Amino acid sequence: MASIPFKPLQPTQFQFQLQLYSSTILLNPFKFHTTLPRISSSIHVTHVETTEQEISHTRRDSKTTSNENGSGFSSFTPKYKRVDSGQENGAKRVVLKDRNAKLKPKRRTSESSSSSSTNNNKAVESKKSKIDSTLRIGLDMCSKRGDVLSAIRLYDLALLQGIVMGQYHYAVLLYLCASAATGLIHPAKSGSGSRTLNAPNEPSSHNNSNEFNVIDHDSHLLGSSTVDEFVQFMKSSAKSCNLQSVRHDDSGIKVSEDVRHYALTRGFEIYEKMLYDKVQMNEATLTSVARMAMALGNGDMAFHVVKKMKEDGINPKLRSYGPSLSVFCNNRDVDKAFIVEQHMLENGIYPEEPELEALLKVSIEAGRSEKVYYLLHKLREGIRQVSPSTADLIDKWFNSKVASRVGKRKWDVRSIHKAIKNGGGGWHGQGWLGNGKWTVSRAIVGSDGCCKCCAEKLVTIDLDPEETEKFAKSVASIAAQRERNSSFQKFQRWLDYYGPFEAVIDGANVGLYSQRKFRPSKVNAIVNGIRQMLPSKKWPLIVLHNRRITGDKMDEPFNRSLVEKWKNADVIYATPTGSNDDWYWLYAAIKFRCLLVTNDEMRDHLFQLLGNDFFPKWKERHQVRFSFSETGPVFHMPPPCSIVIQESEEGYWHVPIASELESEEERTWLCIRRANSPMANQDSSTVNISKNVGDPTHKCPPMSSDPPHNQGDARSSTRRKNQVKVTGKTHGSHGRELKAAEELGSCVVDFQI
């Protein structure tokens, strides 16, 4: 079993015999071996011309190494060459002479020698720094253009010049080689790598002129003899990366089969060189190695790389598991795929929808009903709203013969009800219920939370009070660490004194709505509008950064009067300089379990610290989005039910499909129930849509993937119901309530100025 050595291409024009492997490559550990015959294909590569003596020396070296290792790869060019320098004491004296070293000058005096040595060292260091910088610039250019061949050429030139490469250089090289090995390169990527669950692109059965091909690579590019010359040529020519011979679209750059094999072979060679030089590995470089293993179709190798990360103290990321999971799923190896998933969970890595979708697909193809049930609940916990492609897979499962055969004929209703109550509602997790074929329809949910297909009332999943309290404490802890001078603790004390509040306003988000300049009048309109909708008609809390309430514009009489009114009512809190007001309005809304008026999607890094478990559920139940019409503010209240996969007591399912629509009433759901259920047996085509959708005696017609025209009218009418418009005329009907509130609070209620 011969080890594959790492050897760069030799500096001459020759036929490079690229060794492609038709068998599994084993990692033992991080040494690559093969036992089955190799398939040889010839790729013509042009390289730098050099002296005949070096060529002959290299060929002799290459032949010897090839015979010893059986690898077929040419060897490294030695940095030192052997020189005979006569006889000494009857024996032949051998001197190792540096190939790149210049002839040494004659010996000088000690002072001049010392001064010359210092100057030479500085010059060498300066030149080395310049070369290193040039190499990095060149690799970055190749990465941005997706030019793997030029990157490999830079690598070869760096070896010939004796340039010491670091972790970053290897990371970029391995990323490009791994991407090309899978058949698709995404330009403008750095060496950070990327996770993927896609199998390598199928190679074309014929040469395509639009694909990136080794033979097409311009020979004059490869004629450069140094890294600096090569990079300068790349800078001076817009076509230096041969982009005219690349199929470049939104999906990336597709490469030919020759380039795929060439990049794969050179990628493993570069990785071996990195090991030999003892360059420290990181997650990005090892993930690229796992992707190259994926290109070979070797899931065991890809998984071994991830396990080796943990052994070496490197924390794997979600993308690190993608290659092995992809191979196992594409090979329909269900058991190994779930072993990978289990390893992820043990290391605190939680699969997202691409991973769960791949697992779901292989489970459906294998007919593993218990795995499908498990994954539906994993999607419910972590994803909540599935993508259209995942929805199609779920549809496929419930329409399969296997799905119709699984399920309990009898079950304990009380235990199911208890499980739903203990879980907070919306699911029980007790397995498939019922038997027989399933019916899958695409439906919408009305403003009352009822499915317009089966008339089932979807639930609002309760938020555990203890969990809410823990969440508030975690937000306060994170905010206190990031805020200075105990400013957040002061805010907490202020809330304890002036609270509670029924709504919190993100003042900056409201005041900057659809414009760049802050307008207090918009904040005032939202404050008055949401106040009318609150049961107590109390003022909401307004959170603003202190710079929003100072300055020339805020000194205008109208703006100043608004701020003074809010201050007198003790309903505005100005966050100090250097603080992030997002923490303040978020914490207040969580603490008082009240509404939060903001259009902020809360997706940036700050909110990522809060995790993907409790926060999305809280946000769904408490965020109020807004807009403005000609008559006043329009509020988009929280949805009437939880937008999450729901499993009923009867074993039926409702699956929300993710969309870009602003209104929840336009969202499409999968309504899934047994075909022999009483609801499904009724002839829905003769039943009209009723306003009282919750009444089980009324049914809505099942929706196809292409909704009928009258259904669009139903959607728009439902959308209008859930959008609350507030105008100046609205509050006039509440005169008696306002008067009573004024008497009770000993104050004057002023909605508009």
Side-chain angles (χ1 to χ4, degrees):
M1 187 176 291
S3 176
I4 301 175
F6 49 90
K7 305 179 182 68
L9 301 176
Q10 292 305 311
T12 184
Q13 183 173 351
F14 65 100
Q15 292 290 326
F16 177 71
Q17 299 295 323
L18 177 64
Q19 303 297 332
L20 309 178
Y21 302 96
S22 58
S23 63
T24 302
I25 292 181
L26 303 177
L27 197 66
N28 185 27
F30 296 135
K31 295 293 182 184
F32 303 101
H33 304 278
T34 182
T35 56
L36 296 184
R38 294 185 286 269
I39 305 170
S40 178
S41 67
S42 179
I43 293 181
H44 185 75
V45 183
T46 306
H47 277 271
V48 183
E49 295 294 339
T50 185
T51 63
E52 286 298 327
Q53 290 82 359
E54 291 186 26
I55 294 173
S56 60
H57 177 84
T58 300
R59 285 174 177 166
R60 288 196 302 272
D61 244 8
S62 176
K63 186 175 180 180
T64 303
T65 308
S66 179
N67 291 336
E68 290 176 358
N69 298 323
S71 65
F73 290 118
S74 54
S75 64
F76 281 123
T77 302
K79 184 178 180 182
Y80 300 95
K81 63 183 179 181
R82 176 173 173 155
V83 179
D84 295 335
S85 57
Q87 302 287 332
E88 186 175 330
N89 297 330
K92 192 174 184 178
R93 188 162 61 92
V94 177
V95 179
L96 292 178
K97 185 176 181 181
D98 193 336
R99 291 178 179 273
N100 300 321
K102 297 182 179 179
L103 293 175
K104 294 183 179 180
K106 294 181 179 180
R107 185 168 183 143
R108 301 179 182 177
T109 62
S110 59
E111 289 186 10
S112 62
S113 176
S114 175
S115 175
S116 175
S117 176
T118 302
N119 292 334
N120 286 339
N121 289 337
K122 289 182 179 180
V124 169
E125 290 298 324
S126 176
K127 184 176 180 180
K128 181 181 177 182
S129 176
K130 181 180 178 181
I131 293 175
D132 289 345
S133 176
T134 304
L135 177 60
R136 181 166 185 144
I137 291 171
L139 289 174
D140 285 343
M141 290 172 65
C142 293
S143 179
K144 290 177 181 179
R145 297 171 177 176
D147 187 2
V148 62
L149 296 183
S150 291
I152 294 174
R153 177 62 185 152
L154 281 170
Y155 166 77
D156 289 335
L157 290 172
L159 290 182
L160 290 174
Q161 290 183 250
I163 299 174
V164 178
M165 288 178 286
Q167 187 185 80
Y168 180 83
H169 304 116
Y170 282 109
V172 176
L173 286 164
L174 288 174
Y175 169 77
L176 286 171
C177 288
S179 298
T182 61
L184 193 67
I185 305 175
H186 293 279
K189 289 280 189 178
S190 68
S192 59
S194 64
R195 69 182 182 90
T196 177
L197 285 177
N198 297 324
N201 292 329
E202 292 298 326
S204 303
S205 58
H206 59 281
N207 256 346
N208 191 321
S209 60
N210 290 328
E211 292 181 333
F212 205 0
N213 199 305
V214 175
I215 300 175
D216 294 334
H217 209 248
D218 296 343
S219 59
H220 56 270
L221 285 178
L222 300 175
S224 305
S225 59
T226 66
V227 169
D228 186 64
E229 288 181 13
F230 191 69
V231 173
Q232 288 300 324
F233 188 89
M234 292 174 64
K235 288 181 178 179
S236 64
S237 175
K239 298 181 179 180
S240 62
C241 283
N242 198 34
L243 296 183
Q244 70 273 15
S245 64
V246 178
R247 182 188 300 162
H248 187 185
D249 52 30
D250 292 338
S251 61
I253 299 174
K254 294 183 179 179
V255 300
S256 69
E257 186 176 359
D258 283 344
V259 174
R260 289 178 57 183
H261 293 153
Y262 178 69
L264 182 60
T265 304
R266 296 305 305 274
F268 279 122
E269 172 193 315
I270 292 169
Y271 173 60
E272 285 277 330
K273 181 67 169 63
M274 189 179 183
L275 288 174
Y276 180 81
D277 289 344
K278 297 182 180 179
V279 178
Q280 185 177 2
M281 298 289 170
N282 61 8
E283 181 273 335
T285 54
L286 290 176
T287 296
S288 293
V289 175
R291 294 180 66 203
M292 291 191 294
M294 178 184 72
L296 284 172
N298 194 329
D300 292 322
M301 181 198 295
F303 190 32
H304 188 89
V305 171
V306 179
K307 291 188 286 188
K308 187 66 177 174
M309 283 187 199
K310 201 65 182 175
E311 294 172 7
D312 293 344
I314 300 172
N315 292 323
K317 296 182 179 179
L318 181 58
R319 66 184 182 184
S320 307
Y321 290 93
S324 56
L325 189 62
S326 174
V327 174
F328 292 142
C329 288
N330 288 322
N331 292 341
R332 299 188 179 184
D333 195 332
V334 180
D335 295 330
K336 285 188 176 180
F338 278 92
I339 289 174
V340 174
E341 189 248 2
Q342 183 62 33
H343 193 274
M344 294 169 64
L345 298 176
E346 290 172 356
N347 288 282
I349 306 295
Y350 297 97
E352 295 180 357
E353 188 168 10
E355 290 76 23
L356 295 175
E357 184 178 352
L359 289 167
L360 181 63
K361 182 179 179 181
V362 70
S363 299
I364 292 173
E365 291 172 348
R368 299 286 290 271
S369 61
E370 78 285 0
K371 297 295 185 184
V372 175
Y373 188 84
Y374 165 80
L375 290 168
L376 282 176
H377 280 286
K378 294 297 287 186
L379 288 166
R380 177 188 60 80
E381 294 171 5
I383 309 303
R384 299 172 67 82
Q385 309 161 27
V386 303
S387 65
S389 58
T390 302
D392 291 340
L393 278 177
I394 296 173
D395 192 333
K396 178 181 177 181
W397 161 253
F398 282 103
N399 282 302
S400 67
K401 291 183 179 180
V402 178
S404 64
R405 295 176 187 146
V406 297
K408 301 175 183 178
R409 293 178 179 271
K410 295 181 180 180
W411 59 88
D412 187 350
V413 176
R414 288 179 295 181
S415 65
I416 297 294
H417 183 74
K418 183 178 180 181
I420 291 176
K421 184 177 180 181
N422 292 338
W427 67 284
H428 54 75
Q430 301 300 302
W432 302 111
L433 301 182
N435 65 295
K437 292 183 178 181
W438 294 86
T439 297
V440 182
S441 303
R442 295 183 182 253
I444 59 173
V445 174
S447 59
D448 54 359
C450 293
C451 174
K452 292 200 171 185
C453 182
C454 67
E456 182 173 341
K457 173 73 174 178
L458 301 188
V459 302
T460 299
I461 298 175
D462 296 332
L463 300 178
D464 185 0
E466 293 184 5
E467 197 174 5
T468 304
E469 185 65 27
K470 290 180 181 178
F471 185 53
K473 289 180 179 179
S474 68
V475 171
S477 176
I478 296 173
Q481 294 173 10
R482 283 162 171 74
E483 298 295 307
R484 56 188 179 183
N485 301 327
S486 303
S487 56
F488 194 79
Q489 288 84 345
K490 294 178 182 177
F491 174 64
Q492 289 178 293
R493 293 192 293 270
W494 188 92
L495 290 178
D496 292 336
Y497 185 81
Y498 290 104
F501 295 93
E502 294 182 16
V504 177
I505 309 294
D506 177 5
N509 184 264
V510 174
L512 293 170
Y513 178 81
S514 69
Q515 63 198 17
R516 292 185 178 181
K517 293 184 179 180
F518 180 76
R519 291 181 59 187
S521 59
K522 287 196 171 183
V523 179
N524 186 58
I526 291 295
V527 167
N528 291 333
I530 198 67
R531 186 180 178 187
Q532 296 178 47
M533 300 172 62
L534 299 177
S536 66
K537 302 296 185 294
K538 286 179 60 178
W539 287 89
L541 170 63
I542 307 165
V543 177
L544 274 170
H545 197 277
N546 64 359
R547 71 174 182 271
R548 301 292 182 190
I549 59 175
T550 58
D552 296 338
K553 289 290 184 182
M554 295 306 300
D555 289 335
E556 295 177 2
F558 179 75
N559 293 337
R560 178 53 53 192
S561 64
L562 289 177
V563 174
E564 290 299 325
K565 180 181 70 171
W566 299 332
K567 285 183 177 180
N568 293 334
D570 295 321
V571 295
I572 184 172
Y573 190 89
T575 61
T577 302
S579 65
N580 189 334
D581 56 338
D582 291 359
W583 289 117
Y584 292 77
W585 50 254
L586 178 62
Y587 173 76
I590 297 171
K591 175 181 175 64
F592 296 126
R593 302 188 179 103
C594 63
L595 298 175
L596 172 62
V597 183
T598 180
N599 286 338
D600 193 327
E601 291 299 330
M602 294 176 267
R603 291 174 180 167
D604 60 24
H605 68 282
L606 182 152
F607 300 102
Q608 296 301 319
L609 297 172
L610 304 177
N612 196 33
D613 184 19
F614 183 81
F615 183 57
K617 292 187 288 185
W618 179 90
K619 175 184 168 184
E620 178 187 88
R621 301 309 314 150
H622 292 269
Q623 183 177 8
V624 177
R625 293 175 175 83
F626 66 91
S627 59
F628 288 93
S629 68
E630 294 180 356
T631 56
V634 179
F635 295 95
H636 305 269
M637 304 304 290
C641 63
S642 295
I643 311 301
V644 64
I645 296 176
Q646 298 198 16
E647 179 188 28
S648 72
E649 294 185 34
E650 293 79 16
Y652 306 152
W653 296 79
H654 285 85
V655 181
I657 302 175
S659 68
E660 299 294 331
L661 301 173
E662 293 183 0
S663 175
E664 286 298 336
E665 290 73 35
E666 296 181 358
R667 183 184 301 280
T668 300
W669 293 64
L670 291 182
C671 175
I672 306 167
R673 59 207 183 281
R674 296 283 184 180
N676 56 7
S677 65
M679 293 181 181
N681 286 335
Q682 294 187 21
D683 183 7
S684 58
S685 62
T686 60
V687 183
N688 294 325
I689 298 176
S690 170
K691 291 183 179 180
N692 187 15
V693 186
D695 187 351
T697 60
H698 295 86
K699 292 291 171 293
C700 299
M703 292 173 55
S704 63
S705 57
D706 297 320
H709 294 291
N710 60 349
Q711 191 171 16
D713 298 336
R715 288 188 176 190
S716 60
S717 63
T718 306
R719 181 174 67 251
R720 287 192 295 269
K721 291 179 183 178
N722 200 49
Q723 292 179 354
V724 181
K725 291 186 178 181
V726 182
T727 64
K729 298 179 181 179
T730 308
H731 68 82
S733 60
H734 299 284
R736 295 179 181 178
E737 290 85 349
L738 294 179
K739 185 176 181 180
E742 289 174 345
E743 293 176 355
L744 181 63
S746 300
C747 63
V748 176
V749 178
D750 178 22
F751 281 123
Q752 307 244 350
I753 294 181

